[in-house]
């Protein structure tokens, strides 16, 4: 990547040197013509050409100011020559500088109405400079050639501006989609933590009548869950407010997943979380790790929300190839939101899969009324966006299973 940057840098530098060298050669020709004629009326052209070269050199730092100075000086010289009756043709360096500034102005000057105004002013100044010849046929020919050159420059500048605007719109669309995705993640995180707080508060209310001494640990757990919710919200809100060069998603590690499982087990059904051999923080891409974290979190949230009577939960994170994945006996098609997706074929090669099962569940209507959310649909969208697939449904053993697979 560094070598590519250096190549691009030197290509840009050499292009800039070639452009300035071309304008300097035109300026030398203008000076030679003015010296050979010996007429003072020929010198405004080289002067405008020199100013134009300076404006081109400084166009990135002072794009509008340099363009304005060149337009004003060229137009004033044309008026002076026109009213004095002298004969002085337009400078080649002057014309070249105006055309280059027209291309850059149409591409970069904001807003676009201002860029169009400078482009139109450039055409007027160029046609006025062509009238310095005071010869009908020569002025007409010079005006036509200048108009052709300006039309070409304006077309190039307009095309570059169109590409720039289209790229800006594409970038804005991606950013809007990112922020919507992060807003969805913020919703899921809050739902996860708030659901735990509600369940623990209900449990504390029940045990307060029978075991008052158990209320304090329950309150501590509620306070810890609230702190976790605030931390998660701060982390995601900081991403939403980050600048362009900031990370677009919070970092996630295997330790974060273990910590989440331990906290869930402390206030709900016990979770047996097993990470297979060969899986480390460096094994999986950050986006895959983050999505696995979200799938595990949403699965546990759904258990707590819709199946509070679950006896125990089994979670496995494994690496396998396609032959191992296909040979597993528990990969029979299951009902649920992911049943249709289960018919699709995965890409060959190694894959990582996360399976979450809960046993002995019974739905509590009071917990179900707490709200739904994006649930399985949101998880499936996340998984499929990374080239994976997600299935969910009942297993032959009577458990509810969520399985997410990703190519490695």
């Amino acid at each position: 990547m560094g070598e590519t940057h250096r190549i691009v840098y030197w290509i840009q530098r050499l292009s800039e040197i070639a452009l300035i060298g071309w304008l300097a050669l035109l300026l030398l020709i203008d000076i030679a013509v003015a010296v050979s004629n010996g007429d003072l009326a020929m010198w405004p052209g080289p002067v405008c050409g020199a100013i134009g070269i300076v404006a081109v050199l400084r166009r990135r730092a002072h794009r509008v100011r340099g363009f304005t100075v060149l337009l004003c000086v060229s137009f004033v010289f044309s008026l002076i020559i026109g009213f004095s009756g002298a004969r002085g043709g337009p400078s080649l360096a002057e014309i070249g500088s105006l055309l280059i500034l027209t291309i850059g102005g149409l591409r970069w000057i904001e807003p676009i109405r201002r860029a169009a105004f400078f482009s139109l002013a450039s055409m007027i100044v160029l046609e006025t400079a062509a009238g310095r010849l005071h010869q009908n046929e020569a002025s007409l020919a010079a005006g036509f050639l200048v108009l052709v050159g300006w039309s070409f420059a304006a077309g190039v500048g307009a095309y570059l501006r169109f590409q720039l605007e289209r790229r800006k719109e594409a970038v804005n669309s991606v950013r809007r989609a990112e922020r919507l995705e992060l807003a969805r993640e913020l919703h899921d995180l809050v739902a996860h933590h708030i659901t735990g707080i509600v369940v623990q508060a209900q449990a504390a209310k029940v045990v307060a009548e029978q075991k008052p001494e158990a209320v304090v640990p329950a309150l501590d757990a509620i306070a810890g869950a609230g702190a976790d919710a605030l931390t998660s919200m701060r982390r995601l809100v900081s991403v939403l407010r980050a600048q362009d060069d900031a990370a677009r998603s919070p970092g996630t590690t295997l330790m974060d997943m273990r910590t989440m499982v331990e906290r869930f087990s402390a206030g709900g059904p016990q979770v047996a979380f097993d990470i297979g051999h060969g899986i480390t923080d460096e094994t999986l891409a950050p986006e895959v790790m983050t999505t696995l974290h979200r799938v595990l979190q949403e699965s546990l949230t759904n258990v707590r929300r819709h199946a509070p009577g679950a006896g125990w939960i089994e979670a496995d994170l494994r690496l396998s190839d396609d032959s191992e994945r296909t040979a597993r006996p528990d990969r029979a098609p299951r009902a649920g939101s992911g049943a249709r997706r289960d018919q699709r074929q995965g890409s060959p090669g190694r894959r990582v899969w996360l399976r979450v099962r809960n046993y002995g569940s019974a739905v509590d209507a009071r917990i179900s009324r707490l709200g739904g959310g994006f649930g399985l649909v949101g998880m499936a969208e996340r998984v499929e966006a990374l080239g994976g697939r997600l299935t969910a449904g009942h297993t032959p053993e009577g458990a509810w299973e969520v399985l997410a697979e990703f190519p490695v």
Side-chain angles (χ1 to χ4, degrees), residues 191-203 221-227 229 304:
H192 169 75
H193 291 295
I194 296 301
T195 300
I197 292 174
V198 171
V199 171
Q200 292 173 12
Q202 291 176 339
I222 292 174
R304 176 172 284 166

Side-chain angles (χ1 to χ4, degrees), residues 163-180:
Q163 295 294 332
L164 180 63
E165 294 296 328
R166 189 169 69 170
R167 181 179 181 276
K168 286 181 179 179
E169 182 60 29
V171 170
N172 290 334
S173 298
V174 171
R175 288 175 179 169
R176 285 194 296 268
E178 275 188 274
R179 279 155 177 76
L180 287 174

Side-chain angles (χ1 to χ4, degrees), residues 227-400:
D228 292 339
L230 289 175
T231 301
S232 300
M233 285 189 291
R234 289 193 187 102
R235 184 172 60 179
L236 277 179
V237 170
S238 66
V239 174
L240 285 169
R241 300 178 60 185
Q243 299 297 325
D244 295 343
D245 56 349
R248 289 298 177 189
S249 61
T252 302
T253 63
L254 293 175
M255 183 56 65
D256 294 331
M257 300 176 70
R258 289 190 180 278
T259 302
M260 179 179 61
V261 168
E262 291 173 359
R263 291 178 178 175
F264 182 90
S265 298
Q270 292 297 312
V271 181
F273 183 41
D274 189 16
I275 299 178
H277 176 71
I279 298 180
T280 63
D281 292 335
E282 292 77 21
T283 304
L284 305 177
E287 60 271 16
V288 173
M289 185 71 75
T290 300
T291 304
L292 287 171
H293 183 275
R294 292 295 303 115
V295 170
L296 178 60
Q297 185 178 64
E298 183 65 23
S299 300
L300 296 179
T301 299
N302 287 339
V303 172
R304 176 172 284 166
R305 180 182 299 168
H306 302 295
W312 60 286
I313 302 171
E314 176 185 271
D316 293 310
L317 183 62
R318 291 283 187 272
L319 279 174
S320 66
D321 56 29
D322 277 1
S323 60
E324 294 173 344
R325 176 176 56 86
T326 305
R328 289 208 306 271
D330 56 351
R331 293 295 291 122
R334 293 179 289 275
S337 63
R340 293 188 305 270
R341 297 183 182 91
D342 197 44
Q343 299 172 1
R344 293 162 46 181
Q345 297 297 325
S347 58
R350 301 190 68 193
R351 302 175 70 87
V352 60
W353 52 271
L354 172 67
R355 181 178 61 188
V356 182
R357 282 182 172 180
N358 61 282
Y359 297 83
S361 60
V363 177
D364 188 337
R366 294 175 301 172
I367 302 299
S368 297
R369 286 196 297 268
L370 291 176
F374 295 97
L376 294 174
V377 175
M379 286 195 293
E381 289 176 354
R382 290 174 178 271
V383 172
E384 291 180 354
L386 299 178
R389 63 179 179 177
L390 182 137
T391 60
H394 291 285
T395 66
E397 295 83 2
W400 177 266

